[in-house]
Short mmCIF file of all heavy atoms in Angstrom, two decimals:
data_model
loop_
_atom_site.label_atom_id
_atom_site.label_comp_id
_atom_site.label_asym_id
_atom_site.label_seq_id
_atom_site.Cartn_x
_atom_site.Cartn_y
_atom_site.Cartn_z
N LEU A 35 96.55 106.02 88.27
CA LEU A 35 97.91 105.56 88.56
C LEU A 35 98.88 106.16 87.53
O LEU A 35 98.68 105.95 86.34
CB LEU A 35 97.99 104.05 88.40
CG LEU A 35 97.72 103.15 89.59
CD1 LEU A 35 97.78 101.72 89.16
CD2 LEU A 35 98.73 103.43 90.69
N ARG A 55 81.88 90.42 115.74
CA ARG A 55 81.73 91.43 116.77
C ARG A 55 82.38 91.00 118.07
O ARG A 55 81.72 90.52 118.98
CB ARG A 55 80.24 91.70 116.96
CG ARG A 55 80.01 93.02 117.65
CD ARG A 55 78.57 93.41 117.63
NE ARG A 55 78.39 94.65 118.34
CZ ARG A 55 77.24 95.19 118.68
NH1 ARG A 55 76.13 94.53 118.42
NH2 ARG A 55 77.19 96.32 119.32
N ARG A 65 87.28 90.09 100.91
CA ARG A 65 88.01 89.39 99.85
C ARG A 65 87.27 89.48 98.55
O ARG A 65 86.03 89.34 98.56
CB ARG A 65 88.17 87.91 100.21
CG ARG A 65 89.20 87.64 101.26
CD ARG A 65 89.18 86.23 101.71
NE ARG A 65 87.95 85.94 102.46
CZ ARG A 65 87.60 84.72 102.84
NH1 ARG A 65 88.32 83.68 102.50
NH2 ARG A 65 86.49 84.51 103.54
N ASP A 84 94.89 90.51 86.75
CA ASP A 84 93.95 89.88 87.67
C ASP A 84 94.55 89.79 89.05
O ASP A 84 95.71 89.39 89.21
CB ASP A 84 93.62 88.44 87.20
CG ASP A 84 92.70 88.50 85.98
OD1 ASP A 84 91.53 88.85 86.18
OD2 ASP A 84 93.15 88.20 84.87
N ALA A 95 84.80 100.80 119.22
CA ALA A 95 84.12 102.00 119.65
C ALA A 95 84.72 102.43 121.00
O ALA A 95 85.37 101.64 121.65
CB ALA A 95 82.63 101.75 119.80
#
Side-chain angles (χ1 to χ4, degrees):
L35 269 177
R55 198 169 179 192
R65 284 171 291 172
D84 286 290

